[in-house]
């Protein structure tokens, strides 16, 4: 026997109930986001590698270790998208969306690729629902996107969710703060984890993320970016919080909130759930006022988030799969009756009703069992006496003509 294949590590097949739960989740996202004026966008699964190197940031784990990069065929290096923000900003520029009323509000549901170590809740191909609102630096946009994610998580019944927010200021503030933090880290080099020391030049902020006890002790006394914000940034952050307060959205201010991508400026936020264990991030995002310039456009502010579909499904309690009701099951006795049965099922479907036909070569008895399992409202049986139609609700059963079947089915309440 030849080798049997399995889905590659860190990937999975979407089957049955999970497929149904995903559809329900997508329905909630569409309803909530389109009602708030977000328009669906779909970008290609791969982009020029340089877009991510410049957009996401050369020092991030995502760009350094996790990208699936290949030769694209024209001597251009391409990368399977590890995230959606840089591609959406690329599309905003490419399609001159700055000419539309700002901010342009877009949402997506797509799959992303990161070569991470697979574990519970962490995949190499995963799905995100996300939004990007591009073209306004109004703190009300930050507050609005945060509320939309809160609403989505609430609608699908995510349990134990908490929201942390912070502000990273502008690049200038960050640069000055970075130098201050680097000097502080160098002064404590002996107490820090090796990998933290190795990253002092490239990404000192990640030191706040470390679970190394010595590093944690040092970081407890480290200078905080939130205390170094410019007046404009402090005010921006205060307005975001005031708006969240005004609508009763609970949050915690986290002065050390670090996100894994480099493009963030000002507001950052993360929703996490205790129900998830180590990979507790359900969704997160923030403002990226410098990203569009990084990828060759004019200065254009933006803010958005993404939430992991797998993570939502792991924490959600109420994503009940909705089975569409089955109007008719068509059973038939013997292959000579297959054509007539096939035609009936096709006609019923063309009339906008749901119908299922025996396709597994089962005996009539087996077919009737299937009809019961499928919860069919009507069962049509092609047998020796013509067509018998059974109404599963009333139990009534009678011999009918073909067109009478249609007549009965069309009376079922949708
Ligand atoms: P991110 O924090 O890298 O942000 O990913 C967002 C969410 O995607 C995470 O909170 C998590 O739920 C899910 N996720 C990330 N990696 C994996 C994985 N390997 N397996 C399963 N789920 C995963 C971004 O991607 C930004 N583009 C968000 C954003 C949009 N910021 C501004 N706009």
């Amino acid at each position: 026997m030849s080798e049997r294949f399995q889905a590659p590590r860190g990937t999975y097949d979407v089957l049955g109930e999970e497929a149904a739960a995903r559809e329900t989740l997508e329905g909630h996202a569409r309803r909530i986001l389109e009602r708030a004026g977000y328009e669906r966008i779909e970008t290609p699964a791969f982009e020029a590698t340089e877009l991510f190197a410049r957009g996401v940031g050369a020092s991030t784990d995502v760009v350094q270790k996790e990208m699936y990069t290949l030769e694209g065929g024209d001597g251009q290096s391409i990368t399977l998208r590890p995230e959606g923000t840089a591609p959406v900003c690329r599309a905003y520029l490419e399609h001159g969306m700055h000419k539309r009323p700002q901010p342009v509000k877009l949402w997506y549901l797509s799959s992303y690729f990161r070569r991470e170590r697979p574990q519970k809740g962490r995949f190499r191909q995963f799905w995100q629902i996300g939004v990007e609102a591009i073209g306004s630096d109004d703190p009300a946009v930050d507050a609005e996107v945060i509320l939309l994610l809160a609403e989505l998580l609430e609608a699908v019944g995510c349990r134990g969710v908490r929201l942390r927010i912070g502000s990273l200021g502008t690049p200038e503030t960050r640069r000055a703060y970075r130098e201050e933090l680097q000097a502080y880290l160098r002064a404590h080099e002996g107490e820090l984890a090796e990998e933290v020391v190795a990253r002092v030049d490239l990404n000192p902020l990640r030191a706040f993320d470390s679970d190394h006890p010595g590093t944690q002790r040092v970081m407890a006394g480290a200078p905080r970016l939130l205390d170094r914000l410019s007046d404009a940034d402090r005010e921006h952050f205060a307005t975001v919080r005031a708006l969240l307060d005004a609508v009763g959205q609970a949050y915690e201010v986290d002065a050390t909130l670090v996100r894994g991508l480099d493009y963030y400026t000002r507001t950052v936020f993360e929703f996490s759930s205790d129900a998830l264990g180590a990979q507790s991030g359900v969704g997160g995002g923030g403002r990226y006022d410098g990203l569009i310039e990084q990828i060759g456009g004019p200065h254009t502010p933006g803010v958005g988030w993404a939430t992991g579909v797998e993570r939502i499904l792991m924490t959600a309690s109420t994503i009940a799969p909705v089975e569409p009701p089955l109007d008719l099951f068509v059973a038939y006795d013997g292959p000579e009756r297959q054509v007539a049965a096939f035609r009936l099922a096709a006609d019923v479907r063309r009339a906008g009703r749901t119908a299922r036909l025996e396709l597994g070569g089962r005996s009539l008895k087996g077919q009737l069992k299937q009809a019961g399992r499928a919860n069919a409202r009507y069962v049509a049986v092609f047998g020796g006496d013509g067509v018998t139609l059974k109404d599963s609700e009333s139990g009534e059963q009678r011999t009918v003509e073909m067109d009478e079947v249609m007549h009965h089915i069309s009376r079922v309440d949708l």
Side-chain angles (χ1 to χ4, degrees):
M1 265 214 302
S2 50
E3 183 199 352
R4 282 241 228 135
F5 294 104
Q6 291 186 330
R9 264 190 90 210
T11 71
Y12 61 94
D13 302 305
V14 180
L15 306 171
E17 271 183 25
E18 191 184 333
R22 278 166 171 255
E23 251 166 57
T24 311
L25 171 57
E26 178 172 357
H28 282 296
R30 181 176 305 112
R31 177 178 56 82
I32 291 168
L33 302 175
E34 293 187 355
R35 230 171 30 189
Y38 284 76
E39 188 185 302
R40 181 82 183 246
I41 182 168
E42 207 39 81
T43 62
F46 54 82
E47 298 272 353
T49 302
E50 198 52 24
L51 174 71
F52 299 114
R54 277 203 270 147
V56 173
S59 68
T60 57
D61 276 353
V62 169
V63 170
Q64 285 201 335
K65 307 192 280 210
E66 295 170 2
M67 299 208 300
Y68 288 101
T69 296
L70 54 146
E71 205 281 300
D74 306 308
Q76 191 197 26
S77 170
I78 58 169
T79 290
L80 294 183
R81 57 185 170 195
E83 65 98 47
T85 309
V88 168
C89 289
R90 195 262 311 135
Y92 174 92
L93 283 175
E94 191 168 332
H95 301 283
M97 292 193 218
H98 63 281
K99 291 188 212 121
R100 296 208 214 160
Q102 307 291 297
V104 172
K105 302 192 288 185
L106 303 164
W107 79 280
Y108 47 85
L109 166 53
S110 319
S111 61
Y112 296 88
F113 307 87
R114 296 184 192 175
R115 189 189 282 111
E116 298 194 83
R117 195 166 56 79
Q119 54 182 283
K120 192 164 172 258
R122 187 189 269 176
F123 301 91
R124 289 182 168 167
Q125 176 178 5
F126 58 98
W127 293 74
Q128 286 185 344
I129 295 171
V131 306
E132 311 296 348
I134 305 175
S136 164
D137 62 5
D138 192 325
V141 189
D142 307 43
E144 188 181 82
V145 295
I146 292 173
L147 283 181
L148 288 172
L149 181 49
E151 195 186 336
L152 177 62
L153 298 178
E154 164 98 41
V156 298
C158 279
R159 289 161 298 145
V161 173
R162 69 188 184 119
L163 165 63
R164 287 172 299 138
I165 63 174
S167 176
L168 302 180
T170 45
E172 296 73 46
T173 319
R174 247 163 115 180
R175 219 166 289 136
Y177 168 73
R178 222 174 116 104
E179 281 169 20
E180 184 186 355
L181 182 64
Q182 281 167 333
Y184 176 84
L185 291 173
R186 287 203 188 95
H188 292 82
E189 228 173 65
E191 302 153 68
L192 301 173
E194 252 172 57
E195 80 239 20
V196 172
V197 177
R199 276 174 170 272
V200 167
D201 287 328
L202 212 50
N203 198 349
L205 274 164
R206 289 300 290 272
F208 284 109
D209 258 359
S210 170
D211 45 20
H212 175 259
T215 307
Q216 283 181 342
R217 264 193 309 276
V218 173
M219 296 323 284
R224 301 284 156 113
L225 179 57
L226 263 190
D227 302 324
R228 302 286 186 272
L229 296 185
S230 69
D231 290 347
D233 292 344
R234 200 191 322 272
E235 212 172 286
H236 191 275
F237 189 46
T239 309
V240 174
R241 282 177 304 169
L243 290 167
L244 294 176
D245 292 338
V247 293
Q249 172 62 51
Y251 61 85
E252 296 155 43
V253 172
D254 183 345
T256 63
L257 183 58
V258 181
R259 306 251 322 124
L261 312 161
D262 266 2
Y263 46 62
Y264 293 110
T265 54
R266 293 189 155 174
T267 314
V268 283
F269 56 91
E270 208 156 88
F271 285 83
S272 52
S273 167
D274 303 336
L276 278 177
Q279 298 303 315
S280 64
V282 181
R287 186 163 271 292
Y288 44 86
D289 292 347
L291 172 56
I292 292 202
E293 257 173 308
Q294 284 289 325
I295 61 168
H299 175 76
T300 314
V303 59
W305 49 255
T307 176
V309 165
E310 296 79 9
R311 306 263 172 102
I312 288 190
L313 295 180
M314 283 165 73
T315 49
S317 50
T318 59
I319 305 192
V322 217
E323 279 241 356
L326 181 61
D327 297 322
L328 178 71
F329 189 98
V330 186
Y332 58 93
D333 197 8
E336 67 280 12
R337 299 193 175 91
Q338 191 187 44
V339 174
F342 189 85
R343 265 187 40 214
L344 178 62
D347 284 348
V348 170
R349 285 192 200 118
R350 277 196 199 114
R353 298 300 182 146
T354 51
R356 220 181 279 175
L357 174 73
E358 168 59 24
L359 296 171
R362 288 180 186 80
S363 67
L364 189 57
K365 199 170 146 209
Q367 294 179 47
L368 294 177
K369 228 189 232 167
Q370 284 294 105
R373 267 197 216 119
N375 234 343
R377 170 66 205 274
Y378 282 95
V379 183
V381 184
F382 286 76
D385 322 324
V387 191
T388 317
L389 188 66
K390 184 176 173 192
D391 180 341
S392 318
E393 218 156 75
S394 63
E396 199 185 319
Q397 187 166 324
R398 56 176 135 163
T399 309
V400 291
E401 295 299 322
M402 268 282 259
D403 47 359
E404 273 186 81
V405 177
M406 281 302 292
H407 175 72
H408 281 282
I409 306 294
S410 61
R411 284 200 333 226
V412 180
D413 291 334
L414 277 175

